[in-house]
Structure formats: structure tokens, C-alpha cells
Amino acid sequence: DIPIDDRRPPKERVLGLPVGDGGLALPFGELDDGSTARVVEVTVGGREVVVFWHREARAAMAYRPVLDGQALSFSVNESGRFVDAETGRTWTLDGRAVDGAARLDAVETAYMSFWFAWPVFQPETALWTDEG
């Protein structure tokens, strides 16, 4: 009998970033702050990760915030699009530059899961909250 981790609702979806038996879970309920899109920067396993959240798609994706060796910092513009400050490019949820000239490296181990399943496979997980 596997105990249920009651820190989040069991059927809430999370974006999981596994590291060993732990890692980080980003609950969709915390990512959804009511805005169209959101950028969250986290450190997992000593590596910087940027998470793109899109409310209408109800989806989150994780990327390495580096392009051609240059660190990028992301935000959401007034149109609800992902942009980086360094190149001024606009990005899609799937990590492609709108102009087609670049693509971000996805965090290959990241995946979406229901909360009830995530801590079963990642028992030492940390839980991201909007408060930090």
C-alpha cells in the first residue's frame, strides 16, 4: 500500500524535473497565476532551468536558458508571448524562436505527471510553490 502525498490534490498535474530519487515538481495550480503565460526560473540538480507556462494550453515546458553559449533571461511581453532580453526573440511554448532561427534545448528528463504518481517515483522530491 503506497501512501498518498497530500501536499497537493492527487489529480493535479505537475511538471516534474527529476534528479535521482528527488528533483522538483511544479504544480499547475501554482504555475497558473491567472495570466496568459508565465516564465519561472528554477535551479534543479545545480543547473539553471527556465519553465514556460501557458494557461490556455494548460501546459508547461522546461528548457536550458542558454543559446549558442549565451545565457538568456526570459519574460512574458504585453501580448502574452515569451521573449528573451538578450536577443529580443519571441519564443513559442515548444521552445522555438518565432522567426525560426533558433531552438532552445529542452530538459530531456522533464515530464508531466499527476501529483499522486510523481512522489511515488521521486520520493525525495521538492515541491515548487509560487512563494519561492
Side-chain angles (χ1 to χ4, degrees), residues 8-80:
R8 300 299 302 176
K11 291 188 178 178
E12 181 176 19
R13 289 190 301 161
V14 299
L15 177 64
L17 304 170
V19 176
D21 286 342
L24 182 66
L26 293 94
F28 282 21
E30 292 286 326
L31 288 169
D32 188 353
D33 65 356
S35 58
T36 302
R38 185 171 187 192
V39 172
V40 173
E41 296 173 349
V42 296
T43 302
V44 181
R47 298 188 72 183
E48 298 297 315
V49 174
V50 63
V51 173
F52 291 177
W53 159 259
H54 194 277
R55 189 170 204 239
E56 186 176 309
R58 299 290 302 159
M61 299 289 291
Y63 301 99
R64 303 285 177 215
V66 176
L67 183 64
D68 298 328
Q70 179 182 19
L72 300 177
S73 56
F74 292 90
S75 62
V76 176
N77 67 15
E78 58 280 346
S79 301

Coordinates of all heavy atoms in Angstrom, one line a residue, residues 8-80:
R8 N -0.4 18.2 -2.3 CA -1.2 18.8 -3.4 C -2.4 17.8 -3.7 O -2.4 16.7 -3.3 CB -0.3 18.8 -4.7 CG 0.9 19.7 -4.6 CD 0.7 21.1 -4.3 NE -0.2 21.8 -5.3 CZ -0.5 23.1 -5.2 NH1 -0.2 23.8 -4.2 NH2 -1.3 23.6 -6.1
P9 N -3.4 18.3 -4.4 CA -4.5 17.4 -4.8 C -4.0 16.3 -5.7 O -3.1 16.5 -6.5 CB -5.4 18.3 -5.6 CG -5.1 19.7 -5.2 CD -3.6 19.7 -4.8
P10 N -4.4 15.0 -5.4 CA -3.9 13.8 -6.1 C -3.9 13.9 -7.6 O -2.9 13.5 -8.3 CB -4.8 12.7 -5.6 CG -5.4 13.2 -4.3 CD -5.5 14.6 -4.4
K11 N -5.0 14.5 -8.2 CA -5.1 14.5 -9.7 C -4.6 15.8 -10.3 O -4.8 16.1 -11.5 CB -6.5 14.2 -10.1 CG -6.8 12.8 -9.8 CD -8.2 12.4 -10.5 CE -8.5 10.9 -10.2 NZ -9.8 10.6 -10.7
E12 N -3.9 16.7 -9.5 CA -3.3 17.9 -10.1 C -2.1 17.5 -10.9 O -1.3 16.6 -10.6 CB -2.8 18.8 -9.0 CG -2.2 20.1 -9.5 CD -1.9 21.1 -8.5 OE1 -1.7 20.7 -7.3 OE2 -1.7 22.3 -8.8
R13 N -2.0 18.1 -12.1 CA -0.9 17.8 -12.9 C 0.3 18.7 -12.5 O 0.2 19.8 -12.0 CB -1.2 18.1 -14.4 CG -2.1 17.1 -15.0 CD -2.3 17.2 -16.4 NE -2.8 18.5 -16.9 CZ -2.7 18.9 -18.1 NH1 -2.1 18.2 -19.0 NH2 -3.2 20.1 -18.4
V14 N 1.5 18.1 -12.6 CA 2.8 18.8 -12.3 C 3.7 18.6 -13.5 O 3.6 17.6 -14.2 CB 3.4 18.2 -11.0 CG1 2.5 18.4 -9.8 CG2 3.8 16.8 -11.1
L15 N 4.6 19.6 -13.6 CA 5.8 19.4 -14.5 C 6.9 18.9 -13.6 O 7.3 19.6 -12.6 CB 6.2 20.7 -15.2 CG 7.5 20.6 -16.0 CD1 7.2 19.6 -17.2 CD2 7.9 21.9 -16.5
G16 N 7.4 17.7 -13.8 CA 8.4 17.1 -13.0 C 9.8 17.2 -13.6 O 10.0 17.0 -14.8
L17 N 10.7 17.6 -12.8 CA 12.1 17.7 -13.2 C 12.9 16.8 -12.2 O 13.3 17.1 -11.2 CB 12.6 19.1 -13.0 CG 11.8 20.2 -13.8 CD1 12.3 21.6 -13.3 CD2 12.0 20.0 -15.3
P18 N 13.1 15.5 -12.7 CA 13.7 14.5 -11.8 C 15.2 14.6 -11.7 O 15.9 15.0 -12.6 CB 13.3 13.2 -12.4 CG 13.1 13.5 -13.9 CD 12.6 14.9 -13.9
V19 N 15.7 14.4 -10.5 CA 17.1 14.3 -10.2 C 17.3 13.2 -9.2 O 16.8 13.3 -8.0 CB 17.7 15.6 -9.7 CG1 19.2 15.4 -9.3 CG2 17.6 16.7 -10.6
G20 N 17.8 12.0 -9.6 CA 18.0 10.9 -8.6 C 16.6 10.5 -8.1 O 15.7 10.3 -8.9
D21 N 16.4 10.4 -6.8 CA 15.1 10.0 -6.2 C 14.3 11.2 -5.9 O 13.3 11.1 -5.2 CB 15.3 9.2 -5.0 CG 15.8 7.7 -5.2 OD1 15.6 7.3 -6.4 OD2 16.3 7.1 -4.3
G22 N 14.8 12.4 -6.3 CA 14.1 13.6 -5.9 C 13.8 14.5 -7.1 O 13.2 14.1 -8.1
G23 N 14.3 15.7 -7.1 CA 14.0 16.6 -8.1 C 13.0 17.7 -7.7 O 12.9 18.0 -6.5
L24 N 12.3 18.2 -8.6 CA 11.4 19.3 -8.3 C 10.1 19.1 -9.1 O 10.1 18.8 -10.3 CB 12.0 20.6 -8.7 CG 11.2 21.9 -8.5 CD1 11.0 22.1 -7.0 CD2 11.9 23.1 -9.1
A25 N 9.0 19.3 -8.4 CA 7.7 19.2 -9.1 C 7.1 20.6 -9.1 O 7.0 21.3 -8.0 CB 6.7 18.2 -8.3
L26 N 6.6 21.1 -10.2 CA 6.0 22.4 -10.4 C 4.5 22.2 -10.6 O 4.1 21.8 -11.7 CB 6.6 23.2 -11.5 CG 8.0 23.6 -11.3 CD1 9.0 22.7 -11.9 CD2 8.3 25.0 -11.8
P27 N 3.6 22.3 -9.6 CA 2.2 22.1 -9.8 C 1.6 23.1 -10.7 O 1.8 24.3 -10.6 CB 1.7 22.2 -8.4 CG 2.8 22.2 -7.5 CD 4.0 22.7 -8.2
F28 N 0.7 22.7 -11.6 CA 0.0 23.6 -12.5 C -0.8 24.6 -11.7 O -0.9 25.7 -12.1 CB -0.9 22.8 -13.4 CG -0.1 22.1 -14.6 CD1 1.2 21.9 -14.5 CD2 -0.8 21.7 -15.7 CE1 1.9 21.2 -15.5 CE2 -0.2 21.1 -16.7 CZ 1.2 20.9 -16.7
G29 N -1.4 24.2 -10.6 CA -2.1 25.2 -9.8 C -1.3 26.3 -9.2 O -1.8 27.4 -9.0
E30 N 0.0 26.1 -9.0 CA 0.9 27.1 -8.6 C 1.4 28.0 -9.8 O 1.6 29.2 -9.7 CB 2.1 26.6 -7.8 CG 1.7 26.0 -6.5 CD 1.4 27.0 -5.4 OE1 2.1 28.1 -5.5 OE2 0.6 26.7 -4.6
L31 N 1.6 27.3 -10.9 CA 2.1 28.0 -12.1 C 1.0 28.9 -12.6 O 1.3 30.0 -13.2 CB 2.5 27.0 -13.2 CG 3.8 26.2 -13.0 CD1 3.9 25.1 -14.0 CD2 5.0 27.1 -13.0
D32 N -0.2 28.5 -12.5 CA -1.4 29.3 -13.0 C -1.7 30.5 -12.1 O -2.4 30.3 -11.1 CB -2.6 28.4 -13.2 CG -3.7 29.2 -14.0 OD1 -3.6 30.4 -14.2 OD2 -4.7 28.5 -14.3
D33 N -1.1 31.7 -12.4 CA -1.4 32.8 -11.6 C -2.5 33.7 -12.3 O -2.6 34.9 -11.9 CB -0.1 33.6 -11.4 CG 0.5 34.2 -12.7 OD1 -0.1 33.9 -13.8 OD2 1.5 34.9 -12.6
G34 N -3.2 33.2 -13.3 CA -4.2 33.9 -13.9 C -3.8 34.6 -15.2 O -4.6 35.1 -16.0
S35 N -2.5 34.8 -15.4 CA -2.0 35.4 -16.6 C -2.0 34.4 -17.8 O -2.0 33.2 -17.6 CB -0.6 36.0 -16.4 OG 0.3 35.1 -16.0
T36 N -1.9 34.9 -19.0 CA -1.9 34.1 -20.2 C -0.7 33.2 -20.2 O -0.8 32.0 -20.6 CB -1.9 35.0 -21.5 OG1 -3.0 35.9 -21.4 CG2 -1.9 34.2 -22.7
A37 N 0.5 33.7 -19.9 CA 1.7 32.9 -19.9 C 2.6 33.4 -18.8 O 2.4 34.5 -18.2 CB 2.4 33.1 -21.3
R38 N 3.5 32.5 -18.5 CA 4.4 32.8 -17.3 C 5.8 32.2 -17.6 O 5.9 31.1 -18.2 CB 3.8 32.3 -16.1 CG 4.5 32.6 -14.8 CD 3.7 32.2 -13.6 NE 4.3 32.7 -12.4 CZ 4.0 32.3 -11.2 NH1 3.0 31.5 -11.0 NH2 4.7 32.8 -10.2
V39 N 6.8 32.8 -17.0 CA 8.2 32.3 -17.0 C 8.6 32.1 -15.6 O 8.5 33.0 -14.8 CB 9.1 33.2 -17.8 CG1 10.6 32.7 -17.6 CG2 8.8 33.4 -19.2
V40 N 9.1 30.9 -15.3 CA 9.6 30.6 -13.9 C 11.0 30.1 -14.1 O 11.3 29.2 -14.9 CB 8.7 29.6 -13.2 CG1 9.3 29.1 -11.9 CG2 7.3 30.1 -13.0
E41 N 11.9 30.7 -13.3 CA 13.3 30.2 -13.3 C 13.6 29.4 -12.0 O 13.3 29.9 -11.0 CB 14.3 31.4 -13.4 CG 14.1 32.2 -14.7 CD 14.9 33.5 -14.8 OE1 15.4 33.9 -13.8 OE2 15.0 34.0 -15.9
V42 N 14.2 28.2 -12.2 CA 14.5 27.4 -11.0 C 15.9 26.8 -11.2 O 16.4 26.8 -12.3 CB 13.4 26.3 -10.9 CG1 12.1 26.8 -10.5 CG2 13.4 25.4 -12.1
T43 N 16.4 26.3 -10.1 CA 17.7 25.5 -10.2 C 17.4 24.1 -9.7 O 16.8 23.9 -8.6 CB 18.8 26.2 -9.3 OG1 19.0 27.5 -9.7 CG2 20.1 25.4 -9.4
V44 N 17.7 23.1 -10.5 CA 17.5 21.7 -10.2 C 18.7 21.0 -10.5 O 19.3 21.0 -11.5 CB 16.3 21.2 -11.1 CG1 16.0 19.7 -10.7 CG2 15.1 22.0 -10.9
G45 N 19.2 20.3 -9.4 CA 20.4 19.5 -9.6 C 21.6 20.4 -9.9 O 22.5 19.9 -10.7
G46 N 21.6 21.6 -9.5 CA 22.7 22.5 -9.7 C 22.7 23.2 -11.1 O 23.6 23.9 -11.4
R47 N 21.6 22.9 -11.8 CA 21.6 23.5 -13.2 C 20.4 24.5 -13.3 O 19.3 24.2 -12.7 CB 21.4 22.4 -14.2 CG 22.6 21.5 -14.2 CD 22.6 20.5 -15.3 NE 22.9 21.2 -16.6 CZ 22.9 20.6 -17.8 NH1 22.6 19.3 -17.8 NH2 23.1 21.3 -18.9
E48 N 20.6 25.5 -14.0 CA 19.5 26.5 -14.2 C 18.5 26.0 -15.3 O 18.9 25.4 -16.3 CB 20.1 27.8 -14.8 CG 21.1 28.5 -13.8 CD 20.4 28.9 -12.5 OE1 19.3 29.5 -12.5 OE2 21.0 28.6 -11.4
V49 N 17.3 26.2 -15.0 CA 16.2 25.8 -15.8 C 15.2 26.9 -15.9 O 14.9 27.6 -14.9 CB 15.5 24.5 -15.3 CG1 14.3 24.1 -16.1 CG2 16.5 23.3 -15.2
V50 N 14.6 27.1 -17.1 CA 13.5 28.1 -17.3 C 12.3 27.3 -17.7 O 12.4 26.4 -18.6 CB 13.9 29.2 -18.3 CG1 14.1 28.6 -19.7 CG2 12.8 30.2 -18.4
V51 N 11.2 27.6 -17.1 CA 9.9 26.9 -17.3 C 9.0 27.9 -18.0 O 8.8 29.0 -17.5 CB 9.3 26.3 -16.0 CG1 7.9 25.8 -16.3 CG2 10.2 25.3 -15.4
F52 N 8.4 27.5 -19.1 CA 7.4 28.3 -19.8 C 6.1 27.7 -19.5 O 5.9 26.4 -19.6 CB 7.6 28.2 -21.3 CG 8.7 28.9 -21.9 CD1 9.0 28.9 -23.3 CD2 9.6 29.7 -21.1 CE1 10.1 29.5 -23.8 CE2 10.7 30.4 -21.7 CZ 10.9 30.3 -23.0
W53 N 5.1 28.5 -19.0 CA 3.8 28.0 -18.7 C 2.8 28.8 -19.6 O 2.9 30.0 -19.8 CB 3.4 28.3 -17.2 CG 2.0 28.4 -16.9 CD1 1.2 29.5 -16.8 CD2 1.1 27.2 -16.7 NE1 -0.1 29.1 -16.5 CE2 -0.2 27.8 -16.5 CE3 1.3 25.9 -16.8 CZ2 -1.3 26.9 -16.3 CZ3 0.2 25.1 -16.5 CH2 -1.1 25.6 -16.3
H54 N 1.8 28.0 -20.2 CA 0.8 28.7 -21.0 C -0.5 28.2 -20.5 O -0.9 27.1 -20.5 CB 1.0 28.3 -22.5 CG 0.2 29.2 -23.4 ND1 -1.1 29.0 -23.6 CD2 0.6 30.3 -24.0 CE1 -1.6 29.9 -24.4 NE2 -0.6 30.7 -24.7
R55 N -1.3 29.2 -20.0 CA -2.6 28.9 -19.4 C -3.6 28.3 -20.3 O -4.2 27.3 -19.9 CB -3.2 30.2 -18.8 CG -4.4 30.0 -18.0 CD -4.8 31.3 -17.2 NE -5.5 31.0 -16.0 CZ -6.7 31.4 -15.8 NH1 -7.3 32.2 -16.7 NH2 -7.3 31.1 -14.7
E56 N -3.8 28.8 -21.5 CA -4.8 28.2 -22.4 C -4.4 26.8 -22.8 O -5.3 26.0 -22.9 CB -4.9 29.1 -23.7 CG -6.0 28.7 -24.6 CD -6.2 29.6 -25.8 OE1 -6.3 30.9 -25.5 OE2 -6.2 29.1 -26.9
A57 N -3.2 26.6 -23.0 CA -2.7 25.2 -23.4 C -2.7 24.3 -22.2 O -2.7 23.1 -22.4 CB -1.3 25.3 -24.0
R58 N -2.8 24.8 -21.0 CA -2.6 24.1 -19.7 C -1.4 23.2 -19.8 O -1.4 22.0 -19.6 CB -3.9 23.2 -19.5 CG -5.2 24.0 -19.3 CD -5.3 24.8 -18.0 NE -5.2 24.0 -16.8 CZ -4.8 24.5 -15.7 NH1 -4.6 25.8 -15.5 NH2 -4.7 23.7 -14.6
A59 N -0.3 23.8 -20.2 CA 0.9 23.1 -20.4 C 2.1 23.9 -19.9 O 2.1 25.1 -19.9 CB 1.1 22.7 -21.9
A60 N 3.2 23.1 -19.5 CA 4.4 23.7 -19.1 C 5.6 22.9 -19.7 O 5.5 21.7 -19.9 CB 4.6 23.7 -17.5
M61 N 6.6 23.6 -20.1 CA 7.8 23.0 -20.7 C 9.0 23.6 -20.0 O 9.1 24.7 -19.6 CB 7.8 23.3 -22.2 CG 6.7 22.8 -23.0 SD 6.6 21.0 -23.1 CE 8.0 20.7 -24.2
A62 N 10.1 22.8 -19.9 CA 11.3 23.2 -19.3 C 12.5 23.2 -20.3 O 12.6 22.2 -21.1 CB 11.7 22.2 -18.1
Y63 N 13.3 24.2 -20.2 CA 14.4 24.4 -21.1 C 15.7 24.9 -20.3 O 15.6 25.4 -19.3 CB 14.1 25.5 -22.1 CG 12.9 25.2 -22.9 CD1 11.7 25.7 -22.6 CD2 12.9 24.3 -24.0 CE1 10.5 25.4 -23.3 CE2 11.8 23.9 -24.7 CZ 10.6 24.5 -24.4 OH 9.5 24.2 -25.1
R64 N 16.8 24.6 -21.0 CA 18.1 25.2 -20.5 C 18.1 26.7 -21.1 O 17.9 26.9 -22.3 CB 19.3 24.4 -21.1 CG 19.3 23.0 -20.7 CD 19.7 22.7 -19.3 NE 19.6 21.3 -19.0 CZ 19.2 20.9 -17.8 NH1 18.9 21.7 -16.8 NH2 19.1 19.6 -17.6
P65 N 18.3 27.7 -20.2 CA 18.2 29.0 -20.7 C 19.5 29.6 -21.3 O 20.1 30.6 -20.9 CB 17.9 29.8 -19.4 CG 18.5 29.0 -18.3 CD 18.4 27.6 -18.8
V66 N 20.0 28.8 -22.3 CA 21.3 29.1 -23.0 C 21.1 28.9 -24.5 O 20.4 27.9 -24.9 CB 22.4 28.2 -22.5 CG1 23.7 28.5 -23.2 CG2 22.6 28.4 -21.0
L67 N 21.6 29.8 -25.3 CA 21.6 29.6 -26.7 C 22.9 30.0 -27.3 O 23.4 31.1 -27.0 CB 20.5 30.5 -27.3 CG 20.3 30.4 -28.8 CD1 19.8 29.0 -29.2 CD2 19.3 31.4 -29.4
D68 N 23.6 29.1 -28.0 CA 24.9 29.3 -28.5 C 25.9 29.8 -27.5 O 26.7 30.7 -27.7 CB 24.8 30.2 -29.7 CG 24.0 29.7 -30.9 OD1 24.0 28.4 -31.0 OD2 23.4 30.5 -31.6
G69 N 25.8 29.2 -26.3 CA 26.7 29.6 -25.2 C 26.4 30.9 -24.5 O 27.0 31.2 -23.5
Q70 N 25.3 31.6 -24.9 CA 24.9 32.8 -24.2 C 23.7 32.5 -23.3 O 22.7 31.9 -23.7 CB 24.5 33.8 -25.3 CG 24.0 35.1 -24.6 CD 23.5 36.2 -25.7 OE1 23.2 35.8 -26.8 NE2 23.5 37.4 -25.3
A71 N 23.9 32.9 -22.0 CA 22.7 32.8 -21.1 C 21.6 33.8 -21.5 O 21.9 34.9 -21.9 CB 23.2 33.1 -19.7
L72 N 20.4 33.3 -21.4 CA 19.3 34.1 -21.8 C 18.4 34.3 -20.6 O 18.2 33.4 -19.7 CB 18.4 33.4 -22.9 CG 19.1 33.2 -24.2 CD1 18.2 32.4 -25.2 CD2 19.7 34.5 -24.8
S73 N 17.7 35.5 -20.5 CA 16.7 35.7 -19.4 C 15.4 36.0 -20.1 O 15.3 36.8 -21.1 CB 17.2 36.9 -18.5 OG 17.4 38.0 -19.3
F74 N 14.4 35.3 -19.7 CA 13.1 35.4 -20.3 C 12.0 36.1 -19.5 O 12.1 36.2 -18.3 CB 12.6 33.9 -20.6 CG 13.4 33.2 -21.6 CD1 14.5 32.5 -21.2 CD2 13.1 33.2 -22.9 CE1 15.3 31.8 -22.1 CE2 13.9 32.6 -23.8 CZ 15.0 31.8 -23.4
S75 N 11.1 36.6 -20.2 CA 9.9 37.3 -19.6 C 8.7 37.1 -20.6 O 8.9 36.5 -21.6 CB 10.1 38.7 -19.3 OG 10.4 39.4 -20.6
V76 N 7.6 37.5 -20.1 CA 6.4 37.5 -21.0 C 6.0 38.9 -21.3 O 6.0 39.8 -20.5 CB 5.2 36.8 -20.2 CG1 3.9 36.9 -21.1 CG2 5.6 35.4 -19.9
N77 N 5.9 39.2 -22.6 CA 5.6 40.6 -23.1 C 4.1 40.9 -22.9 O 3.3 40.0 -22.5 CB 6.1 40.9 -24.5 CG 5.3 40.1 -25.6 OD1 4.3 39.5 -25.3 ND2 5.9 40.0 -26.7
E78 N 3.7 42.1 -23.2 CA 2.3 42.6 -23.1 C 1.3 41.8 -23.9 O 0.1 41.8 -23.6 CB 2.2 44.1 -23.3 CG 2.7 44.5 -24.7 CD 4.2 44.7 -24.8 OE1 4.9 44.7 -23.8 OE2 4.6 44.7 -26.0
S79 N 1.8 41.1 -25.0 CA 1.0 40.3 -25.8 C 0.9 38.8 -25.3 O 0.2 38.0 -25.9 CB 1.5 40.3 -27.2 OG 1.6 41.6 -27.8
G80 N 1.5 38.6 -24.2 CA 1.5 37.2 -23.6 C 2.4 36.2 -24.3 O 2.2 35.0 -24.2

